[in-house]
Every structure is written in structure tokens, then in C-alpha cells.
Amino acid sequence: MEFGEDRRQRMFANDRDISERKCAEEALPQSEERYRDLYEHTPCMMHSIDSEGSLIYVNDYWLELLGYERSEVIGRRSTEFLTEASRLYAVEAALPEFMKTGVASEVEYQMVKKNGEVMDVLLSGVLQRDQSGEIEYSRAFIVDVTERKRAEETRRQLAVAEERNRMAREIHDTLAQSLTGIVMQIEAAGELMGKAPEAARAEIESAHYLARESLAEARRSVWDLQPSVLASSGLIEAIQQEVAKAAERGIQISLEIRGEEPKPLDQRNNLAVLRIVQETLSNIIQHARAKSAEVRMSYGSSEIQLSVTDDGIGFDPSVEHAALSSTDTGFGLISMQERARLAGGYLEIHSTPDVGTHVEATIPYQPNNGNPSPLEATSAATSLPQDVSSGVIRVLIADDHEVFRRGILNTIEQIDGMLVVGEAENGEEAIEMIQALAPDVVLLDIRMPKLDGVGTLSRVNELGLQTRVILLSAFATDEYIFDGLRAGASGYLLKDVSRDDLANAIRTVHDGGSVLHPVVAKRLIEQLDNKETSGLSDREIEVIRLLGSGARNKEIATQLYVTIHTVKFHLENVYRKLGVQTRAEAVRVASERGFLTT
């Protein structure tokens, strides 16, 4: 805005403006004249209203934003410049309150410009009375918040989009994976039905268990979509509510909480604690036949320690899947352990038949991305025969979904000449196991925590590890296909691949060939028809656009839900394709070629 003498000269440039200003000044009460300079030099809209609600003065900024001449507004009621909804609110609620208190603080209105455009504003006002208490006039300060409202709406839409993405990830990581595992179990049962009925029956029972686990996962996904009690009441009150529900079902239950709830807490990990409590108490009520239980929670310096103990029927931990089958207590050990693991913590269950069960969990306040790898435990559990013949193909399975890993393992065990030598649940574990076990072929999930499939494959190449990799995915997404193949994958399969196709793929890759799922091959051909191979992929364009906005690698990784290693892999491809060496050069060249425009 202009100030000083230059502004005064502009304001009084013509006789008409001077005449209008004199009329306005005559209407302005003498006590208000001292505010005239403030009116004209403040960076917000201001006006004065008489006791009848009519405008007696407006500043230039008010006129400029709404697009009116002064002669068009003086004498009109201020509510005429509001939308119908804002006018109704003003008459029925805001103005009566203003008349009673004499003060209005940031009341939200929508004003209408002369051209019909709607503008969001915040209005603050002061009511001026004379010595007898009669209303003389009022002053209002109005701030244009249209852009802020738009930004808030954009944030809301981004939040909705993120929730949709979360739902998609949840479906990918639960239902799609579980159903694939079930299909594999049923196929294995079909193969064994004629020659080994007992083994086939075992496969069917395992598929039954997987189906029940999938149903439980689906229910948990639905729970997570509902408004969390944590948002309104906090973790302690939420757990108190769950304990009260258990007490209503006839369980004598106690709750002990030690320490004070620190703030701020990561809501995802809080939710993990609450879900573990909910699931444990639900199983105590439905299956444990317990008379009493106790819940203890302690806030430490960096983590929450939780324990739930009951005097129910218990189970024998030495019996495989004793707490997991469809015919017994159904504690859902794996699902609770998985929830704790994803939160960066751990969960243990100790149980004795006819004595009871003790569930103990430790959950950090913030997600822990640096947990030690359980390679030692996995390697010990997966013994490698020393006399394996050279004709046996040694396979490593890397997937963060335990149900899918089990399905793949059971399938490969039925294939002659193949042996599963290890299982990893994230990319970092996969790297460690490849180094330790030297598998011939790795079946690598494209999406995993800590280090995703593309990042893992890039790391394998950097380390010069001699193994061949088949990438697995539930969906044939273009960015996954191209990124995976560029990173050096020998194959790309969808997780619904049949048993025979999986066996053929492993053998082909082991012998030095390459394999693509038919759907993946079709997408690849379509993309090659539509794009020059020297162009940037959709994901690389996303990365370079974020780079152009000033985002660092860590910020790019967060927004794209990938690891920093994967971001570096994409940037290397971008540098190579654009023929540049630095980030600044990449942004400049990408801008010149139109990659930064949407």
C-alpha cells in the first residue's frame, strides 16, 4: 500500500473523490474523525455503521477489495454486502450478541463483491455508545481470509486423499495379501488331495485359519476407519472405557496406571496400545473363561509398558499354533505381535493350561525405525542342510505380510527341487539374509517397511550380491513395474500367480532368464508404445517436481511413502536421463522440458 504524501495526492486526485469524502466525513461522528488516518492506512478493510445499521464510512481498501465506488455504498445497510447465509446468521445471532456485549471478535462472514465473487472474511467490531447509553455508531475491522480458507480446504482434501491412500494400503497389506495366501493353500491342497489326503487336509485347515485371520484383519481395518476415542479422550480414558466394558460382562477386572501421560504422543502408537488392550480383553471375555483379570500400564521415559493377565484356561505355548487355530481360544497372537512390531515395539504371551495367560507389550512413544533385526532368530529357525545338492534351488522370501509368506512357503515346499532357506519381513532383513544365506533366488515384495523392494534391489546391486530377484506385487502399478525393472529385477509377478507359474518363474530366473506376469508385460508394452524410453517415468516426474518445490530427500520420501534410498535411486535415473550432475541442474533442465508444469 502507499503511504504519506503520495497516497494523499492519489486519494484527492479528482473533485468527485473530494466531494464524496467530504460527504462521508460529515456523516462520520466527530469522535470518530481522529481515526480517519488509521482507516486509510491500515492493511485491512474498515467501516463505520450508524445506529440504524447503515454504512457511514468505509476506507479505500474496503472499496478496492469489493470493487465499489464510495457513492455506491454510503447509506446502504452493511448486511446488503453479505451472502444470504451470512446475512441470516448476522441478523439472528451475531448482531444480537454484538448489541448485548458491545464487542465482536473474529466473526466469520462471507461478503459479496460487486462482480458477484464471494470473499471469506473475519470481522471484529466495537460498539460505541453516547453518555446516555444510546448507540451512536460502531467500528468494524475486516480481514480477507479467502486464501486461508482455500488453503484449509486444500489441506482437508489432502487429508481425505491421505485417508484414501491409507485405506488402499490397508487393503493391499491385509485383504489382498491374505486372499492370495488362501488361494495358494487351496491350490496346494488340490495337488495333494489324491496322493496325500492327510497333507491335503492340513492345507485346508491352514487355509481355514488364514481366512479367519483375514476376517479379523478386515474388522481391525474397519475399526481404524472410525473416529478414534483417542482424539477426544486420550489413551488412559480410552483404556478405562475398555476395562469398564469388560467389567460389565462379568469379569472382575482391575486397572493400574503408573506415571503421567507425556505429550505429545504419536497417535499411531497410542492406537496400537489401545487395539492390543481391546483385542486381549475381547479374547478374555469370549474364549479364556476367566473370572478375573488385571491391566497394568506404565509410562516410562520413552515407552509404554503394558501387561494384561487373566486366570482363564490358558494354553500350551509349546504346541504349534495352539493359540491361533479356529477351534480353540483364538488369542490372535500373530496379529497382536504384528501390531506391536509395526509400532516399533514388541509383544510376548506367556500362558499355562488351567492357570491363565499373561500378555506383555512394550510400545515406544514414537515409531522406532531402528529396531535390531531378528536375523539371528530367523536363521536359527531356518536350518540350512549342509548336503543340499547343486540341483536344489534355494529361495529366500521377503514380505512384510506373515500370512502371505506362509502361503508362499507352503507352496514352494510342494515343488520338487526347491528349498526355502529364510524369511524376511522387511528390506533390511532381506539384505542381511542374502549376505548370510546366499540364496539363488529372492522373492521380494515391492512394498515393505524400512526398505522397500526397489531400495532393497538397488542395495543388492551396490553390494555385488550374487542372487537373482523376482519382484512380487498385489497390483500392476506402472511406477512399480518400471522402477523395479530399472533396478535390475529378473522378474515381476503378481501375487495371484499360480503354483505352476511360480515354479516355472523361479526355475527360469535361476537359469538366467527373465519373467513377467502377462498383465505386467501388457502394461510394459503399452507404456513403451506411449513414451520414449529416454523420458521420465511418472514417479520420476513426481520426484523432480517435489525437488523443484525445495523438498529434501527425506521430505520427498515421506510424501511418496518410499525410503530415502528409493528417492536416491529415482534421482540417479533422473540425472542420467536429463544429462545433469546436480540437483539445481536437474530442476533447471526439467523445467525447460516442461516436466515441472502440471
Side-chain angles (χ1 to χ4, degrees):
M1 296 183 62
E2 298 176 289
F3 296 96
E5 188 60 31
D6 290 341
R7 179 167 178 84
R8 291 192 181 92
Q9 290 178 3
R10 185 181 68 80
M11 290 167 53
F12 296 98
N14 56 70
D15 293 341
R16 178 183 176 186
D17 186 55
I18 294 174
S19 175
E20 291 176 356
R21 191 168 300 281
K22 284 182 177 180
C23 292
E25 290 177 354
E26 290 175 359
L28 192 68
Q30 292 184 354
S31 59
E32 186 76 351
E33 290 182 9
R34 63 181 182 273
Y35 293 107
R36 188 164 55 246
D37 285 342
L38 174 63
Y39 269 48
E40 297 306 334
H41 294 89
T42 187
C44 71
M45 302 166 64
M46 297 184 67
H47 66 220
S48 289
I49 303 173
D50 64 17
S51 59
E52 301 299 322
S54 299
L55 292 167
I56 57 175
Y57 199 87
V58 296
N59 67 350
D60 285 353
Y61 196 59
W62 193 103
L63 296 170
E64 180 181 336
L65 283 187
L66 291 183
Y68 286 98
E69 298 293 335
R70 195 178 305 275
S71 59
E72 295 178 294
V73 300
I74 298 299
R76 294 174 61 178
R77 299 185 69 84
S78 60
T79 53
E80 293 181 36
F81 300 93
L82 301 178
T83 62
E84 185 176 351
S86 292
R87 189 181 307 124
L88 183 63
Y89 170 69
V91 172
E92 294 187 355
L95 289 179
E97 180 68 16
F98 181 48
M99 301 293 286
K100 181 170 66 175
T101 63
V103 177
S105 178
E106 293 192 339
V107 182
E108 293 188 16
Y109 287 126
Q110 284 190 316
M111 301 186 74
V112 182
K113 298 182 180 181
K114 186 175 181 179
N115 62 7
E117 182 180 342
V118 174
M119 180 173 66
D120 293 294
V121 300
L122 289 179
L123 181 146
S124 298
V126 178
L127 191 64
Q128 183 68 42
R129 299 180 184 272
D130 59 22
Q131 294 181 349
S132 64
E134 293 294 325
I135 297 174
E136 187 177 7
Y137 65 95
S138 65
R139 291 191 302 273
F141 305 82
I142 306 169
V143 178
D144 179 10
V145 294
T146 304
E147 291 303 319
R148 191 177 85 182
K149 287 283 188 179
R150 288 175 182 168
E152 290 174 353
E153 176 61 20
T154 299
R155 286 194 294 270
R156 187 194 67 80
Q157 292 176 357
L158 289 174
V160 171
E162 167 56 21
E163 181 63 10
R164 289 174 177 167
N165 289 337
R166 190 193 69 77
M167 291 170 62
R169 293 194 300 271
E170 191 76 21
I171 292 172
H172 172 274
D173 293 338
T174 55
L175 298 182
Q177 307 269 24
S178 299
L179 290 174
T180 302
I182 292 169
V183 168
M184 290 182 171
Q185 293 279 285
I186 294 174
E187 286 183 348
E191 292 289 333
L192 295 169
M193 192 67 71
K195 56 184 179 181
E198 289 302 318
R201 178 180 178 83
E203 294 291 344
I204 292 173
E205 288 179 352
S206 181
H208 184 204
Y209 159 70
L210 296 184
R212 289 177 64 86
E213 281 292 293
S214 301
L215 179 59
E217 288 289 346
R219 287 170 177 159
R220 279 188 286 274
S221 298
V222 172
W223 290 344
D224 286 344
L225 290 177
Q226 296 174 356
S228 173
V229 66
L230 295 174
S232 59
S233 59
L235 180 59
I236 293 177
E237 187 174 342
I239 290 178
Q240 289 172 337
Q241 293 177 17
E242 296 301 321
V243 169
K245 292 177 185 177
E248 292 175 358
R249 298 292 297 272
I251 303 293
Q252 294 181 356
I253 186 166
S254 63
L255 173 63
E256 178 183 350
I257 297 177
R258 297 179 180 179
E260 296 184 358
E261 185 173 2
K263 296 184 182 302
L265 286 174
D266 186 90
Q267 290 302 308
R268 294 167 294 178
N269 285 15
N270 263 1
L271 183 60
V273 175
L274 177 59
R275 294 301 188 225
I276 290 171
V277 171
Q278 288 175 327
E279 189 164 346
T280 304
L281 292 181
S282 175
N283 282 296
I284 289 174
I285 294 170
Q286 296 181 37
H287 307 293
R289 302 182 217 165
K291 294 180 180 179
S292 65
E294 61 179 28
V295 179
R296 294 181 179 179
M297 188 171 70
S298 175
Y299 287 103
S301 59
S302 61
E303 61 190 19
I304 296 173
Q305 294 181 335
L306 171 72
S307 68
V308 183
T309 305
D310 69 71
D311 62 356
I313 59 175
F315 62 93
D316 184 357
S318 66
V319 179
E320 185 178 8
H321 300 321
L324 301 176
S325 73
S326 61
T327 58
D328 54 34
T329 54
F331 278 94
L333 168 60
I334 288 178
S335 62
M336 287 195 291
Q337 288 178 327
E338 180 73 359
R339 189 176 289 279
R341 181 188 68 80
L342 292 175
Y346 63 88
L347 179 143
E348 295 179 350
I349 292 185
H350 307 278
S351 188
T352 304
D354 301 322
V355 174
T357 301
H358 176 75
V359 177
E360 187 171 331
T362 298
I363 306 295
Y365 295 143
Q366 300 291 333
N368 181 7
N369 296 322
N371 291 331
S373 169
L375 173 61
E376 295 81 7
T378 306
S379 298
T382 309
S383 59
L384 179 62
Q386 300 300 315
D387 58 345
V388 174
S389 67
S390 59
V392 174
I393 302 175
R394 302 166 63 252
V395 180
L396 174 71
I397 304 170
D399 194 293
D400 63 319
H401 200 272
E402 195 273 342
V403 172
F404 179 76
R405 288 202 312 272
R406 189 183 310 151
I408 284 282
L409 186 147
N410 291 337
T411 298
I412 293 177
E413 285 181 346
Q414 304 299 324
I415 301 174
D416 293 336
M418 294 186 190
L419 174 69
V420 176
V421 297
E423 298 178 58
E425 62 180 21
N426 60 63
E428 292 180 358
E429 286 183 22
I431 295 296
E432 293 179 10
M433 289 187 177
I434 292 171
Q435 290 176 306
L437 303 175
D440 298 312
V441 177
V442 178
L443 300 179
L444 186 64
D445 186 14
I446 196 74
R447 288 183 55 176
M448 293 185 295
K450 297 187 178 179
L451 191 63
D452 62 14
V454 174
T456 301
L457 185 52
S458 299
R459 185 66 177 152
V460 166
N461 294 333
E462 289 176 4
L463 295 173
L465 302 178
Q466 300 301 311
T467 189
R468 300 183 67 80
V469 176
I470 298 176
L471 290 174
L472 297 172
S473 178
F475 305 102
T477 307
D478 288 352
E479 64 191 60
Y480 291 159
I481 296 172
F482 284 101
D483 293 347
L485 295 179
R486 287 193 190 99
S490 298
Y492 193 111
L493 299 177
L494 297 187
K495 288 187 174 181
D496 62 355
V497 61
S498 68
R499 174 180 174 274
D500 290 341
D501 287 342
L502 177 62
N504 291 334
I506 293 174
R507 292 190 183 101
T508 299
V509 168
H510 177 259
D511 293 339
S514 300
V515 292
L516 291 177
H517 191 284
V519 174
V520 174
K522 181 175 182 293
R523 295 297 301 145
L524 186 61
I525 293 172
E526 290 174 351
Q527 290 300 317
L528 291 175
D529 287 342
N530 296 331
K531 291 184 176 181
E532 293 182 5
T533 56
S534 60
L536 300 183
S537 69
D538 292 341
R539 178 47 61 93
E540 289 164 355
I541 291 174
E542 285 183 294
V543 169
I544 193 64
R545 284 177 177 171
L546 289 172
L547 192 69
S549 70
R552 297 182 178 275
N553 288 3
K554 185 176 181 180
E555 296 168 332
I556 296 174
T558 299
Q559 293 192 48
L560 298 181
Y561 303 104
V562 298
T563 64
I564 294 179
H565 198 88
T566 300
V567 172
K568 292 179 179 178
F569 168 77
H570 290 313
L571 286 176
E572 289 174 0
N573 286 333
V574 170
Y575 292 169
R576 175 176 52 80
K577 291 180 179 181
L578 299 183
V580 299
Q581 299 294 326
T582 66
R583 298 165 73 93
E585 288 179 324
V587 172
R588 177 181 58 79
V589 174
S591 177
E592 292 173 353
R593 297 188 184 182
F595 286 119
L596 301 188
T597 59
T598 57

